[in-house]
Amino acid sequence: MAAFGQEISFLLIFSGFMYTAGQFFAQPEQVHLSYGALPDQMTITWVTFSQTNSSVVEYGLSELDMVAVGSSEKFMDGGAEHRVLYIHRVTISSLTPGQKYTYHCGSKYGWSEMFTFKVMPKGPYWSPRFAVFGDMGNANAQSLARIQRETQEGHFDAILHVGDFAYDMDTDNGRVGDEFMRQIEPVAAYVPYMTCAGNHENAYNFSNYKKRFSMPGGDGEGMFYSYDIGPAHIIAFTTEFMYYVEYGWLQILNQYQWLEKDLQKANLPENRAERPWIITMGHRPMYCSNSDDDQMCTNINNLVRVGIPIDHKFSLEDLFYKYGVDLQFYAHEHSYERLWPVYNRTVCNGSSSDPYDNPRAPVHVVTGSAGCKEGEDPFFNPGFEWSAFRTSDYGYGRMTIYNHTHLYLEQVSDDKGGEVVDKMMIKKTKHGAGTYACHLTPDKF
């Protein structure tokens, strides 16, 4: 018999769930949304710290009179404590396009608070609005409060988080990841929070990223996937396969082949006519002008841009140029930089009076200034000829895809109290594979 006061750890099986040392953690938390594989779907993901053997979403228009059931997965963090949490996923199908629903999630052991979401409207003839940013941490998430408020005021249809979360999700045996997911809940529980992996997610083969988020299709782990929204086809991919080859070389080939097939499908005449805008998001940039990153900004053989050294296989710049990608979002640098249309380190503006009117090359934007504990990244001067505007202010982007011909992007400075410090309107009357001419008639500097 144990002496009085001695700590006793034991495990009981009680009513089908795990009951550990007298504590039971069934309350849902870290609730977040993502788009499903079909436009009438929404996926709800959340966490409990005990097994509940039940993953349920109750939802409805005015009452919670509908139910969707999903599943849970045991996730063990790779840190020394091997902490366990249970990831719950429920995908609701056959939702009414454009309709707003109220929901909560959980089980008979505990429910989340009430949230709402709006289903994607049907077809390509509407104007989706996004917040776009990368490199947001648990500490010094300077832009988060403004993004939370604007989300709850109804300014956004979806969020694009372009890599690097929490700094880092695996830190303190995953506890920093837990807290970060709680921080973004006032955003991500109301609008789909669409993601891609950055270098700060690399621990244990990106396991915290892969398990905590639920992206549609692709490789099934959120490392690469795509979806249609309004007049756009959005592709998320990871730049990190080039830099973490200890997890295998095949991942580079698999992603490249998937990207090419996805781009080929998006460029079928009937698909490009409906959704002419192709937008990509990946973490490390092809182009930048920060003084503290020789690997990305001043390296003529930047791996994301040119692919494998020497033979330059798997060049993403060539692939995206070939298939007429319109806009490319990156982060990694803790700053904001808008580029002139560029290909192969050569500026190819649409015209001298309006560079973004039918540009002859893709447009790149680096948006990694949402705020993290590492602070801001400085620029070197005078910068490269392809840099159109740059700032180290903390902030985030707002994008509206107005229609098949006009896409608007602006950058909000949190340092300046929400002031818009940069804006751009891309106007295109012609989209498609093989439409760029930068390789034929580049601008001269």
Side-chain angles (χ1 to χ4, degrees):
M1 228 178 136
F4 180 77
Q6 180 179 349
E7 181 179 351
I8 304 173
S9 294
F10 59 92
L11 196 67
L12 298 177
I13 307 300
F14 180 69
S15 298
F17 56 79
M18 308 302 281
Y19 187 77
T20 309
Q23 295 178 314
F24 181 54
F25 301 97
Q27 190 61 32
E29 60 172 69
Q30 306 174 38
V31 180
H32 54 286
L33 301 171
S34 54
Y35 286 122
L38 299 174
D40 66 350
Q41 294 180 331
M42 190 70 74
T43 298
I44 299 93
T45 307
W46 70 95
V47 163
T48 61
F49 292 98
S50 293
Q51 186 178 14
T52 64
N53 289 327
S54 181
S55 305
V56 180
V57 173
E58 296 180 338
Y59 66 103
L61 300 179
S62 57
E63 300 179 12
L64 302 181
D65 54 0
M66 292 178 275
V67 177
V69 177
S71 61
S72 64
E73 177 183 8
K74 179 181 178 180
F75 170 59
M76 181 180 292
D77 175 72
E81 294 181 22
H82 301 297
R83 287 180 68 239
V84 169
L85 52 154
Y86 295 88
I87 312 290
H88 301 257
R89 293 181 179 87
V90 174
T91 296
I92 308 175
S93 300
S94 301
L95 294 163
T96 302
Q99 185 64 59
K100 185 176 183 179
Y101 289 84
T102 299
Y103 77 98
H104 68 178
C105 57
S107 70
K108 66 181 181 180
Y109 303 113
W111 294 98
S112 72
E113 63 182 279
M114 304 285 277
F115 303 106
T116 62
F117 65 78
K118 188 176 180 181
V119 184
M120 187 188 301
K122 188 176 182 179
Y125 298 103
W126 61 285
S127 304
R129 304 157 303 158
F130 304 84
V132 189
F133 56 85
D135 298 80
M136 179 181 284
N138 159 243
N140 193 34
Q142 185 162 327
S143 301
L144 180 57
R146 198 175 300 278
I147 294 168
Q148 289 172 338
R149 187 180 69 248
E150 291 191 354
T151 298
Q152 295 187 13
E153 289 174 346
H155 291 286
F156 307 122
D157 297 297
I159 308 297
L160 305 182
H161 188 144
V162 193
D164 278 6
F165 307 80
Y167 283 71
D168 296 336
M169 287 198 287
D170 65 289
T171 300
D172 192 14
N173 296 277
R175 291 182 178 89
V176 171
D178 291 334
E179 185 54 34
F180 177 79
M181 298 304 290
R182 296 182 190 111
Q183 285 173 278
I184 66 168
E185 186 181 82
V187 176
Y190 293 92
V191 297
Y193 201 92
M194 309 305 287
T195 62
C196 68
N199 57 297
H200 278 269
E201 285 69 74
N202 81 87
Y204 320 121
N205 196 8
F206 300 87
S207 62
N208 269 273
Y209 170 81
K210 291 175 179 178
K211 298 301 182 182
R212 289 179 184 269
F213 293 105
S214 308
M215 298 297 113
D219 69 333
E221 294 184 311
M223 299 299 276
F224 50 88
Y225 64 93
S226 66
Y227 57 100
D228 295 331
I229 179 168
H233 180 71
I234 298 182
I235 301 170
F237 68 99
T238 181
T239 57
E240 303 314 299
F241 287 157
M242 286 288 188
Y243 299 92
Y244 294 99
V245 295
E246 63 267 31
Y247 299 133
W249 288 91
L250 194 59
Q251 59 189 6
I252 300 172
L253 173 64
N254 289 342
Q255 175 174 257
Y256 187 89
Q257 290 179 335
W258 179 88
L259 282 169
E260 183 153 39
K261 289 179 181 177
D262 189 79
L263 286 164
Q264 288 170 346
K265 182 179 179 182
N267 271 286
L268 291 174
E270 63 272 23
N271 291 337
R272 200 75 196 251
E274 273 209 331
R275 293 182 170 85
W277 296 100
I278 296 181
I279 301 168
T280 62
M281 53 185 271
H283 184 62
R284 300 193 198 211
M286 297 185 190
Y287 297 93
C288 50
S289 59
N290 299 86
S291 59
D292 60 348
D293 193 350
D294 293 339
Q295 185 181 49
M296 306 309 300
C297 299
T298 58
N299 180 10
I300 195 170
N301 289 314
N302 175 314
L303 299 182
V304 179
R305 191 177 73 84
V306 305
I308 301 294
I310 303 175
D311 62 6
H312 291 176
K313 287 184 177 178
F314 313 117
S315 164
L316 294 182
E317 181 174 43
D318 287 346
L319 183 71
F320 293 165
Y321 181 85
K322 175 182 177 180
Y323 289 102
V325 170
D326 300 290
L327 176 60
Q328 301 178 36
F329 284 115
Y330 298 97
H332 191 62
E333 312 304 330
H334 300 165
S335 56
Y336 167 81
E337 186 166 9
R338 169 175 54 83
L339 279 66
W340 301 122
V342 62
Y343 170 69
N344 195 26
R345 297 171 63 88
T346 304
V347 173
C348 282
N349 290 336
S351 67
S352 57
S353 60
D354 191 346
Y356 301 107
D357 185 351
N358 287 306
R360 293 176 293 122
V363 177
H364 296 237
V365 173
V366 181
T367 177
S369 60
C372 68
K373 67 181 182 182
E374 293 182 355
E376 300 158 315
D377 287 342
F379 296 104
F380 58 77
N381 291 306
F384 291 112
E385 59 265 27
W386 46 77
S387 180
F389 178 86
R390 54 191 189 165
T391 176
S392 290
D393 285 4
Y394 289 113
Y396 57 96
R398 299 187 191 120
M399 177 175 66
T400 301
I401 309 173
Y402 281 112
N403 51 39
H404 285 48
T405 58
H406 289 71
L407 183 153
Y408 175 74
L409 179 72
E410 63 185 20
Q411 180 69 8
V412 177
S413 168
D414 193 75
D415 291 349
K416 294 182 173 64
E419 177 184 336
V420 173
V421 293
D422 186 47
K423 59 181 66 175
M424 166 184 68
M425 180 75 80
I426 305 177
K427 295 176 282 187
K428 297 191 76 168
T429 57
K430 189 175 183 181
H431 302 260
T435 57
Y436 288 136
C438 189
H439 61 294
L440 300 176
T441 55
D443 292 351
K444 301 298 183 184
F445 283 87

